[in-house]
Amino acid sequence: MSWYRNTVWFVKGLREYTRGGYESASKHFNPADVEVDVAGRSFLVTGANSGIGKATAKEIARRGGTVHLVCRNKERAEVAREEIVTETGNQNIFLHIVDISNPKEIWRFAEKFQNEHQLNVLINNAGCMVNNREITEDGLEKNFATNTLGTYIMTTALVPLLEKAADARVITVSSGGMLVQKLNISDLQSGNGPFDGTMVYAQNKRQQVVLTEQWAKAHRNIHFSVMHPGWADTPAVRSSMPDFYERMKNSLRTEAQGADTVLWLAVSAEATKLPSGLFFQDRQPVPTHLPLAYTHSPPEDEEKLMEMLEEFSQKFRSVSPG
C-alpha cells in the first residue's frame, strides 16, 4: 500500500507541486497583495536559517517587519541573520537559538519571549524528516518531537501573546504528503511496525492540518492557516530525500517560490478575508483530502489528538520560580 500512496503523491505532485505548477498558478496572483508595509508588526519564523524559512524572513524584512529568527544552529543562524540585514537594510532582525525537537527549550523560550516582545504573526516552519527511527534525550521520536509536538508547544505557548495583538496570525508549513495519510492517534511515536521516515513525516503533516483546524475553532481572535509550499529546492530536501532530489532537481521550485504562499498568508489583507483553519497551496484554499482516499477521521480522534499533545506538552513544562 505504501508504494501506491507514494505513486499517487508523486504523480499528483508532477502536475501541481513543481516549478511549472507554481508558474501556472502565479499567473492569477495579484502582486499588490504582498506589496505592503508591515513596519511595526512582529513576526516569528522557526527554522529560519535556510530554505523556505529564510526566504520568508527575508521577504518580511524587505517589507519593514520586525523578524525573530528561531533557529537550532547558532553559526548558521548568525550567517542567515547577517545576510537578511545586508540584503534588506532592515536592522530589526533578532536571533533566538532554540531546538524545536526539545520541548523544555521551547517552553523556556516562549515564556521568556512573552515577557520581552510583542508578536503579531507566528510562522511554524521548522521541521525534519529523519529516515531512521531516532529517539531524543527526552524519549521522543525525532520527527514527532519536531514536527508535531514542537509545533504544538510553540503555538499554544505563544497564543496568549498573540491574543493581545492586532490582526494576529499563525501559519504552519505542512506538506502535500499529508494527503496520503489518515490521522493515526494510536501510534504517535511510530513505534509499531516497520519505520518509514517519509510516511512518518506525512503523518506529522496530517497532524499539523488537524492542529490548525482545531486551533481555529478554539481561538477566534487569531487567524490560523496551514499550507503546502510545493516541491522546493531546499537544503532539507537535498539531505532528507536525495533520490527524490536527483530525480526532480530540474523541476523543483525555488525557495522564494516555495515561500510565496507563506508570505501571502503572513502579510496580505486578502488572506484573512478567508475563514480561519484552511489548507492553502499557491494562495488558494485547497481540499485536505483526495477523492476516495479514505483519509477522513472521526471528530473524536481529532479532539483526542489535542488532548494527547496537551498531556505530552505539560510533562515538559516547568513552573518558573516566583
Side-chain angles (χ1 to χ4, degrees):
M1 195 62 179
S2 177
W3 68 265
Y4 174 74
R5 289 172 177 166
N6 275 307
T7 301
V8 170
W9 179 11
F10 182 74
V11 172
K12 182 177 173 61
L14 283 178
R15 295 194 300 270
E16 299 179 20
Y17 299 165
T18 61
R19 188 186 311 143
Y22 174 83
E23 289 167 352
S24 177
S26 65
K27 293 174 184 174
H28 306 286
F29 293 172
N30 180 0
D33 286 358
V34 294
E35 290 172 0
V36 294
D37 182 350
V38 292
R41 286 177 64 75
S42 176
F43 300 77
L44 188 155
V45 186
T46 67
N49 67 293
S50 67
I52 288 167
K54 185 171 77 171
T56 301
K58 193 177 291 184
E59 291 305 317
I60 292 169
R62 286 192 212 283
R63 290 156 176 78
T66 295
V67 186
H68 296 273
L69 312 176
V70 174
C71 307
R72 181 174 55 87
N73 184 289
K74 188 172 187 291
E75 291 73 25
R76 290 202 294 265
E78 287 173 343
V79 171
R81 181 191 175 277
E82 186 61 34
E83 179 185 323
I84 293 168
V85 170
T86 300
E87 290 192 20
T88 68
N90 186 339
Q91 298 292 325
N92 294 318
I93 313 298
F94 301 96
L95 188 56
H96 311 271
I97 305 304
V98 185
D99 183 348
I100 301 297
S101 74
N102 186 319
K104 295 173 193 158
E105 273 192 36
I106 302 171
W107 274 120
R108 284 195 297 269
F109 160 75
E111 288 168 0
K112 184 171 185 287
F113 188 90
Q114 287 189 75
N115 292 327
E116 298 175 356
H117 304 282
Q118 65 165 355
L119 183 62
N120 298 94
V121 181
L122 167 63
I123 299 171
N124 290 309
N125 166 73
C128 70
M129 184 192 293
V130 178
N131 290 312
N132 297 303
R133 194 167 190 270
E134 183 179 324
I135 304 301
T136 71
E137 62 183 29
D138 296 302
L140 300 169
E141 190 276 318
K142 185 71 172 284
N143 294 291
F144 167 76
T146 306
N147 302 326
T148 301
L149 186 60
T151 296
Y152 178 85
I153 295 176
M154 182 65 77
T155 303
T156 53
L158 292 175
V159 156
L161 188 58
L162 287 160
E163 293 273 15
K164 301 174 187 175
D167 188 14
R169 310 181 189 193
V170 175
I171 299 114
T172 299
V173 178
S174 182
S175 167
M178 67 90 195
L179 291 166
V180 305
Q181 286 283 309
K182 178 179 179 178
L183 178 67
N184 177 12
I185 58 170
S186 68
D187 188 23
L188 289 182
Q189 301 208 61
S190 309
N192 300 331
F195 187 88
D196 181 334
T198 305
M199 289 298 108
V200 170
Y201 177 82
Q203 173 66 208
N204 295 161
K205 295 302 175 176
R206 168 62 70 187
Q207 291 161 359
Q208 290 178 343
V209 170
V210 173
L211 290 179
T212 299
E213 293 169 346
Q214 295 296 311
W215 284 327
K217 293 176 189 174
H219 306 288
R220 302 289 185 176
N221 295 329
I222 302 170
H223 190 272
F224 290 88
S225 54
V226 58
M227 59 79 66
H228 173 41
W231 290 340
D233 186 352
T234 65
V237 167
R238 282 175 237 153
S239 62
S240 298
M241 305 173 71
D243 294 341
F244 170 82
Y245 173 74
E246 281 303 315
R247 200 165 56 237
M248 297 295 296
K249 61 185 177 185
N250 295 325
S251 302
L252 297 177
R253 299 179 177 202
T254 66
E255 292 173 346
Q257 289 170 343
D260 176 82
T261 296
V262 188
L263 178 71
W264 183 82
L265 289 166
V267 307
S268 77
E270 294 303 308
T272 52
K273 291 178 183 176
L274 293 161
S276 182
L278 298 180
F279 179 64
F280 287 82
Q281 180 183 315
D282 292 331
R283 302 192 189 183
Q284 292 291 324
V286 293
T288 56
H289 300 276
L290 294 171
L292 305 177
Y294 305 106
T295 51
H296 292 269
S297 302
E300 53 266 31
D301 280 11
E302 297 179 354
E303 291 163 9
K304 181 65 174 176
L305 173 67
M306 303 304 281
E307 293 172 11
M308 294 170 78
L309 292 177
E310 182 62 17
E311 287 176 17
F312 265 116
S313 73
Q314 292 302 325
K315 287 178 187 175
F316 299 102
R317 185 179 188 179
S318 59
V319 179
S320 301

